[in-house]
Amino acid sequence: MKIAVDAMGGDFAPLEIVKGVELARDQFTDIEFELFGDEKQITAILQNSDRVNIHHTDVTIDMGEEPVKAIRRKKDSSLVLAATAVKNGEADAFFSAGNTGAVLAAGIFVIGRIKGIDRPGLATVLPNLSGKGDHEYFVMMDMGANAESKPAHLYQYGFLGDFYAEKMLGYTKPTVGLLNLGTEEDKGDAVHKEAWQLLNGSDTLNFIGNVEARELLNGAADVVVTDGSNGNTALKAIEGTALTMLKMIKAAIMENGVTAKIGGALLKPALKGLQGKLDYSKAGGAVILGVNAPVVKTHGSAKAEAVSNTFAQIHQMITSNLVPDIQAYVAAHKDDLSAKQLDAEQDN
Amino acid sequence: MKIAVDAMGGDFAPLEIVKGVELARDQFTDIEFELFGDEKQITAILQNSDRVNIHHTDVTIDMGEEPVKAIRRKKDSSLVLAATAVKNGEADAFFSAGNTGAVLAAGIFVIGRIKGIDRPGLATVLPNLSGKGDHEYFVMMDMGANAESKPAHLYQYGFLGDFYAEKMLGYTKPTVGLLNLGTEEDKGDAVHKEAWQLLNGSDTLNFIGNVEARELLNGAADVVVTDGSNGNTALKAIEGTALTMLKMIKAAIMENGVTAKIGGALLKPALKGLQGKLDYSKAGGAVILGVNAPVVKTHGSAKAEAVSNTFAQIHQMITSNLVPDIQAYVAAHKDDLSAKQLDAEQDN
């Protein structure tokens, strides 16, 4: 299999991207890497060119650029060239740690939507920290690809998330929940009330109803369906709170003088374990589900190990046949999933 | 001043409510309490009836009841009777630890909206944990009173939150931010884009633009404006993550055996300090801003001390003249704040 890599996207690109490529190359003997970016810089880092092909470009898309404009104007950027290679069948998947909006736009406009999916969305795998059962992770989508959603889009996220949980996390009949203001059926705005009805009416999904943000990390559901706005808020609130608390524990240790410092030193392995459980980069990057190939955006601050974990995730996406299976399912259930059809039914 | 108290609302009512009333009664010599609820139960708990009047009723509204139906059908419930006392001028403020939706409905339909405020919202005070500056808290609204918002409602929340931060937290020209997907001006759905324009156009507010959920606890703004859906998601995600992390730190200490246990014991004061900083019940309960009297809903699980803190908050709301000042401001700026007027302008 071939993975097209935007070698210039990310806070530590190309250094950590190239190092991550080499880690993954040594781990997976069946991956060939097509790297797009500055040849000189890449060559200077690369220790071994086995199964690594470099395609030179000195054009890059920056983190702050307006995504859609950037991908239209910079067709010879490392990001767009990598996506184009996938479109042209020269690679099987697209990796970037760059501008999230631009990766999303390249996924949708260059690689293309799956026919029958109206709005591809951003899926993230987060840790289930309940300590109960053997489901270490859950999938949540959309995390912010779309600022506005219709009920049918949320319904489609349910199916996409369900496929991801089954294929990638190995869950049988994963539970699917809808993020909402409260657990009762009639909670939320009109979009969420209608989405509840659609999800609940599905014979395929194991829908368990509304879930609240308080229970996300506590194993509320294997698949959490949300509009991009609330998904983004939940993810960032979780990240912000976790970071703040770790910082405060460290500060509290310092403030409380010698005794607490000894306590802190003795507690170090425990805190490290905690940090490890919170580190969801082990499960890879954020996936654009609903497009015609694996497209994965890893964190801009990702170091080599997180980059390599993302390649492991892409490797599994390809070997598990995730995208072709979604395509086949959506084609076979076109009418049941179509936003147009569902809207028409709701109007009757 | 007189505070009308729903003595039967909350997980530990009437015990903790009555104990909280006595704590506050002993602290504030100018408060008289009008308690609505089961006279026998209240009398059995009450140690001293100074400045505490009991109004008997054996009807209560439960946590799970549909709010609007409940307040319509149960006019003689402790919750509705307390709100009615405020409406009739027999008390100056309304306190409850009961069904949030019912408290909200009673605030809006019994006590009434401030003329010129289209949608009263739920405001919560949360800790600023940045460790920078002297602003220990920030105000955020709406936390879930309204599942759907128009730009003008968000604009009005900006003014209500600004008043609260000035009067109650003592902040001069508090910074006002809009919770959104990203910090750039054009982020979010149409409602957030228009709300940004309205807030940015205000000569009164110190608007600093969009803020992200990751920075909330890190002092993003003194006043955070949000629609009820994202506000609710952010609050619950913060609470859930904080609870999960505290639980995990304890579990990590246990799992790592004797060494970590000693570490944990030595670290205890530091962790206790952390828990104290996270405990935002010190700043009182959630306030329904935009109604014609102080209406405060404290956490259902509140114990006597949190109940008493909420009375301190109500005491300050009354002595600082918060509600009359909001009423006067809104009356003087009716046209600038009106949703109807703002919608008409946006259509032009």
Side-chain angles (χ1 to χ4, degrees):
Chain A
M1 66 182 71
K2 285 185 180 177
I3 302 179
V5 177
D6 165 17
M8 308 310 282
D11 304 342
F12 307 112
L15 179 66
E16 297 292 335
I17 308 298
V18 174
K19 283 166 67 182
V21 162
E22 291 201 281
L23 280 177
R25 187 257 331 271
D26 297 344
Q27 197 185 342
F28 298 99
T29 53
D30 56 347
I31 308 184
E32 246 180 90
F33 294 89
E34 306 295 330
L35 265 58
F36 294 82
D38 188 296
E39 185 165 14
K40 259 194 190 162
Q41 289 186 52
I42 295 170
T43 313
I45 303 157
L46 198 67
Q47 301 197 329
N48 165 352
S49 63
D50 273 8
R51 287 181 279 123
V52 178
N53 306 311
I54 305 173
H55 308 266
H56 176 75
T57 177
D58 45 24
V59 182
T60 56
I61 292 178
D62 297 332
M63 286 301 197
E65 286 188 65
E66 205 285 307
V68 177
K69 270 186 208 158
I71 69 148
R72 283 198 184 138
R73 288 181 191 167
K74 293 185 165 177
K75 295 210 188 301
D76 49 355
S77 60
S78 57
L79 193 155
V80 178
L81 286 176
T84 307
V86 175
K87 183 201 169 192
N88 294 340
E90 294 151 19
D92 304 298
F94 167 38
F95 164 98
S96 178
N99 182 319
T100 306
V103 175
L104 188 67
I108 294 170
F109 299 119
V110 178
I111 295 172
R113 277 191 299 117
I114 290 175
K115 219 183 150 180
I117 294 295
D118 293 279
R119 296 268 192 93
L122 214 48
T124 298
V125 171
L126 290 165
N128 171 348
L129 301 171
S130 66
K132 289 169 211 147
D134 56 355
H135 288 193
E136 269 187 82
Y137 295 102
F138 67 97
V139 194
M140 190 160 162
M141 88 177 279
D142 169 37
M143 300 314 259
N146 304 297
E148 281 172 276
S149 301
K150 289 188 175 182
H153 303 146
L154 297 179
Y155 184 55
Q156 293 176 0
Y157 296 158
F159 284 86
L160 293 171
D162 181 77
F163 261 96
Y164 197 90
E166 289 194 15
K167 292 254 165 192
M168 294 292 292
L169 304 175
Y171 298 169
T172 312
K173 277 267 161 206
T175 53
V176 178
L178 176 66
L179 183 66
N180 209 333
L181 286 172
T183 53
E184 301 86 347
E185 159 180 355
D186 62 343
K187 285 284 174 177
D189 62 5
V191 170
H192 286 80
K193 285 178 193 170
E194 287 174 30
W196 192 100
Q197 295 296 339
L198 289 174
L199 289 162
N200 195 51
S202 158
D203 294 330
T204 310
L205 300 178
N206 180 11
F207 184 60
I208 57 164
N210 289 326
V211 297
E212 293 187 82
R214 195 182 282 113
E215 298 301 321
L216 288 174
L217 297 182
N218 203 24
D222 295 320
V223 178
V224 175
V225 172
T226 172
D227 62 283
S229 178
N230 280 285
N232 196 275
T233 295
L235 179 67
K236 288 179 179 166
I238 288 171
E239 286 181 349
T241 307
L243 280 174
T244 300
M245 285 192 66
L246 285 172
K247 211 173 73 181
M248 283 176 68
I249 293 172
K250 284 172 195 167
I253 292 171
M254 298 309 285
E255 272 168 25
N256 281 270
V258 180
T259 320
K261 257 186 235 176
I262 298 170
L266 293 171
L267 197 57
K268 217 171 182 179
L271 280 178
K272 216 169 166 183
L274 174 68
Q275 237 161 338
K277 279 181 193 165
L278 285 166
D279 177 16
Y280 60 92
S281 77
K282 280 183 288 190
V287 177
I288 301 169
L289 283 181
V291 293
N292 284 315
V295 174
V296 186
K297 152 73 178 102
T298 200
H299 216 284
S301 62
K303 297 285 185 90
E305 206 182 314
V307 170
S308 171
N309 290 340
T310 307
F311 288 124
Q313 174 192 23
I314 294 174
H315 184 265
Q316 195 189 338
M317 286 173 81
I318 296 172
T319 52
S320 74
N321 223 32
L322 177 69
V323 173
D325 282 1
I326 292 176
Q327 287 167 327
Y329 183 89
V330 174
H333 297 80
K334 220 168 52 185
D335 291 344
D336 308 339
L337 285 170
S338 134
K340 213 169 144 187
Q341 186 80 18
L342 293 167
D343 280 351
E345 280 168 24
Q346 279 173 356
D347 290 342
N348 289 338
Chain B
M1 66 182 72
K2 286 186 180 177
I3 302 178
V5 177
D6 165 17
M8 309 310 281
D11 304 343
F12 307 113
L15 179 66
E16 297 292 335
I17 308 298
V18 173
K19 282 166 68 181
V21 162
E22 291 202 281
L23 279 177
R25 188 258 330 275
D26 297 343
Q27 196 185 342
F28 298 99
T29 54
D30 56 347
I31 307 183
E32 248 181 87
F33 293 89
E34 307 295 330
L35 265 58
F36 294 83
D38 188 296
E39 187 165 13
K40 259 195 192 162
Q41 288 187 53
I42 295 170
T43 313
I45 302 157
L46 198 68
Q47 301 199 330
N48 165 351
S49 64
D50 274 7
R51 288 181 278 122
V52 178
N53 306 311
I54 304 172
H55 307 266
H56 176 75
T57 177
D58 45 23
V59 182
T60 55
I61 292 179
D62 296 332
M63 287 301 197
E65 287 188 64
E66 204 286 308
V68 178
K69 270 188 208 156
I71 69 148
R72 284 198 184 139
R73 288 181 190 167
K74 293 186 165 176
K75 295 209 187 302
D76 50 355
S77 60
S78 57
L79 192 155
V80 178
L81 286 175
T84 307
V86 176
K87 183 200 169 192
N88 294 340
E90 294 151 19
D92 304 297
F94 167 38
F95 165 98
S96 179
N99 182 318
T100 306
V103 175
L104 188 67
I108 295 170
F109 299 118
V110 178
I111 296 171
R113 277 191 300 118
I114 291 176
K115 221 184 148 180
I117 295 295
D118 293 279
R119 295 269 191 92
L122 214 49
T124 298
V125 171
L126 290 166
N128 171 348
L129 302 172
S130 66
K132 288 169 211 148
D134 56 355
H135 288 193
E136 269 187 85
Y137 294 102
F138 67 98
V139 195
M140 191 161 162
M141 88 177 280
D142 170 39
M143 301 314 257
N146 305 297
E148 279 171 277
S149 301
K150 288 187 176 183
H153 302 145
L154 297 180
Y155 184 55
Q156 293 176 0
Y157 296 158
F159 284 86
L160 294 170
D162 181 76
F163 261 95
Y164 197 90
E166 288 195 16
K167 292 255 164 191
M168 295 292 292
L169 304 177
Y171 299 169
T172 312
K173 277 268 164 207
T175 54
V176 178
L178 176 65
L179 183 66
N180 209 333
L181 286 173
T183 53
E184 301 87 347
E185 158 180 356
D186 62 343
K187 285 283 174 178
D189 61 7
V191 170
H192 285 80
K193 285 178 193 171
E194 288 174 30
W196 191 99
Q197 295 296 339
L198 289 174
L199 289 162
N200 195 51
S202 158
D203 295 330
T204 310
L205 302 177
N206 181 11
F207 184 60
I208 57 164
N210 289 327
V211 297
E212 294 187 82
R214 194 183 281 114
E215 298 302 320
L216 288 174
L217 298 180
N218 203 25
D222 295 321
V223 178
V224 175
V225 172
T226 171
D227 62 283
S229 177
N230 280 284
N232 196 275
T233 295
L235 179 67
K236 288 180 180 166
I238 289 171
E239 286 181 350
T241 307
L243 280 174
T244 301
M245 284 192 67
L246 285 172
K247 210 174 72 181
M248 282 175 70
I249 293 171
K250 285 173 194 166
I253 292 172
M254 299 308 285
E255 272 169 26
N256 280 270
V258 179
T259 319
K261 257 186 233 176
I262 298 170
L266 292 171
L267 197 58
K268 218 172 183 179
L271 280 179
K272 216 171 168 179
L274 174 68
Q275 237 161 339
K277 279 181 192 164
L278 285 168
D279 177 16
Y280 60 92
S281 77
K282 279 183 288 188
V287 178
I288 300 170
L289 283 180
V291 294
N292 284 314
V295 175
V296 185
K297 152 73 178 101
T298 200
H299 217 284
S301 62
K303 297 284 185 91
E305 206 183 315
V307 169
S308 172
N309 290 339
T310 306
F311 288 124
Q313 174 191 24
I314 293 174
H315 184 266
Q316 195 189 338
M317 287 173 80
I318 295 173
T319 52
S320 74
N321 223 33
L322 177 69
V323 172
D325 282 1
I326 293 177
Q327 287 167 325
Y329 183 89
V330 175
H333 296 80
K334 220 168 54 187
D335 290 345
D336 307 339
L337 286 170
S338 132
K340 215 169 144 187
Q341 187 78 18
L342 292 168
D343 281 352
E345 280 169 25
Q346 281 174 355
D347 290 342
N348 290 338

